[in-house]
Amino acid sequence: MGRKPSCSKEGMNRGAWTAMEDGILVSYIQKHGEGKWGSLPRRAGLKRCGKSCRLRWLNYLRPGIKRGNISEDEEELIIRLHRLLGNRWSLIAGRLPGRTDNEIKNYWNTTLGKKVLRNSGRSKEDNQAAPEQEASPVAVRSKALRCTARLPVVQVQPAAPASHGCPSETAVGDDGVREEQAADEAAPAPAVEVQQKQLDFLPEDELSIDLDFDMGELGFLSPWRGEVGGGVGPGDRFDGDEVDDLEALLLGPGGDGNLHEFAWF
DNA sequence: AAAAAACACAACCGCCTTCAC
DNA sequence: AGTGAAGGCGGTTGTGTTTTT
């Protein structure tokens, strides 16, 4: 049997993407939309494997990507989400508009992870507030069962400055010039409409938390399938501590009930 | 000023799940 | 129901950049 490799390496370009390759990929997707990654390189005339194209698009070329300058708020959210979700980078990224799983993963591995470790070693209070988490991430399963597209995000404050999730044209070339944030914020809406996955958004007025829910009712938790806190499964219910964790996560520090600052699902 | 070490991050890899047939 | 392809994920590696010695 044996699977055919998803990516034949012969005759393929590897390594860093050039500005020209980026251009080809972007214009192809602008014209034809995302998807069909397997055949995209051939159709677009790129000597890259489909996976590579997908990654390049999702992580760097897609409109709305924010690069660098992870704010303290974002850091804090990442830490809290990581405490709850473990290394589920795509889920975590789904709550940080404009951030990609790869970026968050890198940031965690190079910076935040160490910082958290340092802090947890230094602060006993922290350890008590969030015991076991850092040392033994109970919620972690090494592989996702299924984490589909980025979770939908409800922007509840459209009038707010476009610090989060406001699509902007950031088809930044490879390692070249990065106009980054400034350009991001000032940039006009993307000239093209990129085909996005159809996602169901909750209407704003339906934003509410009912902490007495089934696992299965929580879209973003359902992939855990019973690996939260030692075995909560679909149909099971959270116990008090888990509810506390979720509440803290969703409501933010102080639990003031202001969901607006968070991406929702 | 040069070399070494540390850091940051883009890209690749292999595995898993889902989907279409 | 079974199988292969496609898509998606997290882990890891390679390399360029920055900081330290």
Side-chain angles (χ1 to χ4, degrees):
Chain A
M1 264 128 7
R3 284 179 65 129
K4 193 172 101 183
S6 58
C7 244
S8 149
K9 290 167 188 165
E10 286 160 35
M12 289 292 172
N13 288 348
R14 294 169 61 89
W17 279 65
T18 65
M20 183 184 281
E21 288 176 310
D22 282 347
I24 293 171
L25 180 59
V26 168
S27 68
Y28 181 87
I29 292 176
Q30 283 173 354
K31 222 177 208 168
H32 300 95
E34 295 178 54
K36 308 264 188 234
W37 298 109
S39 58
L40 184 149
R42 186 172 38 81
R43 286 181 287 139
L46 281 166
K47 288 186 172 175
R48 291 278 179 176
C49 98
K51 279 188 167 189
S52 182
C53 294
R54 175 182 163 273
L55 197 73
R56 184 68 187 166
W57 171 254
L58 291 177
N59 286 337
Y60 304 98
L61 302 175
R62 201 168 40 131
I65 298 291
K66 288 198 288 185
R67 315 297 324 279
N69 296 333
I70 292 181
S71 69
E72 281 183 25
D73 283 352
E74 287 175 310
E75 263 191 20
E76 192 186 319
L77 185 52
I78 291 169
I79 292 167
R80 294 218 317 275
L81 286 165
H82 185 269
R83 189 177 295 160
L84 205 60
L85 298 168
N87 296 358
R88 311 292 299 282
W89 306 116
S90 62
L91 286 176
I92 293 172
R95 309 210 137 48
L96 288 149
R99 301 293 183 189
T100 68
D101 52 358
N102 207 37
E103 183 179 19
I104 291 171
K105 179 173 61 182
N106 281 333
Y107 189 64
W108 181 271
N109 287 337
T110 59
T111 309
L112 217 44
K114 294 173 197 164
K115 201 188 268 190
V116 165
L117 216 59
R118 261 200 314 273
N119 287 348
S120 68
R122 200 171 43 207
S123 158
K124 286 202 166 174
E125 275 176 45
D126 276 4
N127 277 348
Q128 279 165 356
E132 80 288 341
Q133 327 286 18
E134 257 56 82
S136 64
V138 292
V140 176
R141 187 190 51 238
S142 61
K143 281 280 186 188
L145 284 173
R146 173 98 219 264
C147 303
T148 51
R150 249 154 251 303
L151 292 154
V153 165
V154 174
Q155 294 297 116
V156 196
Q157 291 174 299
S163 59
H164 282 49
C166 183
S168 55
E169 184 58 71
T170 55
V172 178
D174 197 39
D175 296 319
V177 188
R178 284 194 187 145
E179 288 157 41
E180 300 218 340
Q181 304 316 82
D184 278 2
E185 322 242 310
V192 289
E193 209 172 44
V194 175
Q195 227 176 41
Q196 301 278 11
K197 281 209 155 73
Q198 207 52 45
L199 297 163
D200 295 322
F201 285 69
L202 275 176
E204 185 178 344
D205 57 3
E206 285 181 28
L207 283 176
S208 64
I209 290 187
D210 175 5
L211 289 170
D212 183 27
F213 41 57
D214 276 0
M215 280 295 284
E217 294 165 8
L218 264 179
F220 87 95
L221 289 171
S222 58
W224 286 353
R225 305 235 177 110
E227 303 202 20
V228 179
V232 180
D236 293 340
R237 304 190 93 76
F238 290 106
D239 66 22
D241 287 348
E242 288 154 353
V243 167
D244 286 348
D245 275 350
L246 279 165
E247 191 168 30
L249 168 71
L250 296 169
L251 297 179
D256 60 3
N258 176 14
L259 286 170
H260 292 194
E261 62 181 301
F262 293 109
W264 193 239
F265 44 84

